[in-house]
Amino acid sequence: MSAPMSPPSLDVGIVGCGKVGAVLGAALQLAGHHVVATSAISDASRERAALLLPGVPVTSVEEVVASAGVVLLTVPDDAIADLVTGLASQHAWDGGRLAVHTSGFHGIEVLDPVIEAGGEAAALHPAMTFTGVAKDLSRITGTPFAVTASPGAGLVAEALVVDLGGDPFPLADEDRAEYHFALAHSANHLVTLVAQSQQLLRGIGIDDPSRLLRPLLEAALDNALERGDKALTGPVARGDIRTVRAHLATARQQDDDIDTAYRALAWATAKRAAARRTLPAEVSGPMLDLFGSNEKDTNG
């Protein structure tokens, strides 16, 4: 299938010059589109606008919407519905515009007021994390974008992703919650897991935990992405009950978040290993019993 044709230069307004909005706005400018205005409330957002969108007017949300044919809504997930509805009450969507949000969780249903006013709607979610700095621009290249669009916006939405350097793929409205859950569960909790491991290693005097963790985690991630559960190694998967019992004793001595996370993840690992029958049958029950209800044992 051929790639979508690039749309002509569009007038784009950005509501919320956060880490995502500023970077996508800069990428759209590089692709030849015209960012006509942005809204930025916090000092950090204003700094991002100055660095990544120099010369772009920083105005009110209402002025951004009024000046643009394509409105990029890069605000927190929970703020989208109220924002869109509030603008509709002011007739800001009248006349027809393409409204685009970048939430992974929401589909286009949250943009219904735009469609009711004669416009089109699209949800474009990049499967990437952003820091809000210029180096993020290179990260967009090849990044998959989940695209959900109203009937009249599908081709333009895909073309915008291609202009950004991304790789569009269709995602049904009803699948977005599970899609977003999967991404957040992996990427967000990975950060927590790595930070906890760094804390533990620093606690025993290792000043540079990344020297130990980087090669191990990179190999584990590559193996997991290629082989899934088949890549699983370690004492839980092997059924080394004594080792796991010792790990649990160590976990009890740590901060509650570390103890709770270890118990939950070890229990989940044991469940998956038992289901695949890679955990020896004679130890699967005793192994799972070690974790009890997944709550910290306050009885010592």
Side-chain angles (χ1 to χ4, degrees):
M1 186 175 71
S2 60
M5 293 183 61
S6 179
S9 179
L10 299 171
D11 288 338
V12 181
I14 300 173
V15 176
C17 197
K19 296 176 181 179
V20 176
V23 172
L24 294 186
L28 287 171
Q29 282 191 321
L30 289 173
H33 298 291
H34 183 208
V35 177
V36 294
T38 184
S39 66
I41 297 175
S42 69
D43 290 341
S45 292
R46 290 179 177 274
E47 289 176 8
R48 275 189 290 268
L51 289 172
L52 293 175
L53 301 170
V56 173
V58 177
T59 64
S60 69
V61 171
E62 293 78 11
E63 290 173 320
V64 172
V65 175
S67 63
V70 177
V71 180
L72 191 60
L73 303 169
T74 50
V75 298
D77 289 5
D78 290 351
I80 297 174
D82 289 344
L83 173 63
V84 172
T85 301
L87 287 167
S89 70
Q90 302 173 36
H91 304 285
W93 301 116
D94 291 358
R97 287 171 176 76
L98 171 60
V100 179
H101 73 66
T102 57
S103 165
F105 175 75
H106 289 294
I108 59 171
E109 79 293 335
V110 76
L111 299 175
D112 279 348
V114 178
I115 298 174
E116 291 168 0
E120 299 288 349
L124 308 181
H125 180 257
M128 177 54 63
T129 182
F130 291 90
T131 57
V133 297
K135 69 178 182 181
D136 287 344
L137 291 169
S138 62
R139 290 179 174 172
I140 300 176
T141 303
T143 292
F145 277 70
V147 177
T148 307
S150 57
L155 292 178
V156 174
E158 291 187 5
L160 282 172
V161 172
V162 172
D163 280 354
L164 287 167
D167 180 17
F169 68 95
L171 184 66
D173 243 12
E174 61 268 22
D175 293 332
R176 290 187 76 92
E178 191 165 348
Y179 154 82
H180 191 244
F181 171 68
L183 268 59
H185 183 41
S186 58
N188 299 163
H189 296 160
L190 176 62
V191 172
T192 300
L193 176 64
V194 172
Q196 288 177 339
S197 297
Q198 289 174 322
Q199 177 184 332
L200 290 167
L201 292 173
R202 289 193 183 100
I204 59 172
I206 297 175
D207 295 331
D208 183 14
S210 64
R211 187 169 67 89
L212 281 68
L213 293 174
R214 188 183 303 279
L216 175 65
L217 294 176
E218 287 178 348
L221 179 59
D222 286 343
N223 290 339
L225 290 174
E226 291 176 8
R227 305 182 63 214
D229 284 328
K230 292 180 181 178
L232 185 61
T233 63
V236 172
R238 290 192 298 266
D240 293 337
I241 287 181
R242 277 188 249 181
T243 300
V244 174
R245 188 177 288 120
H247 284 178
L248 284 167
T250 300
R252 291 190 191 98
Q253 301 171 26
Q254 311 304 321
D255 293 341
D256 285 347
D257 67 294
I258 294 176
D259 177 73
T260 301
Y262 173 76
R263 285 173 173 273
L265 288 170
W267 176 83
T269 299
K271 288 285 286 186
R272 296 182 72 86
R276 291 191 66 251
R277 298 185 179 178
T278 54
L279 182 64
E282 65 273 15
V283 297
S284 61
M287 178 69 75
L288 287 166
D289 288 343
L290 285 178
F291 308 114
S293 64
N294 272 338
E295 294 179 356
K296 188 170 182 177
D297 180 6
T298 58
N299 296 321

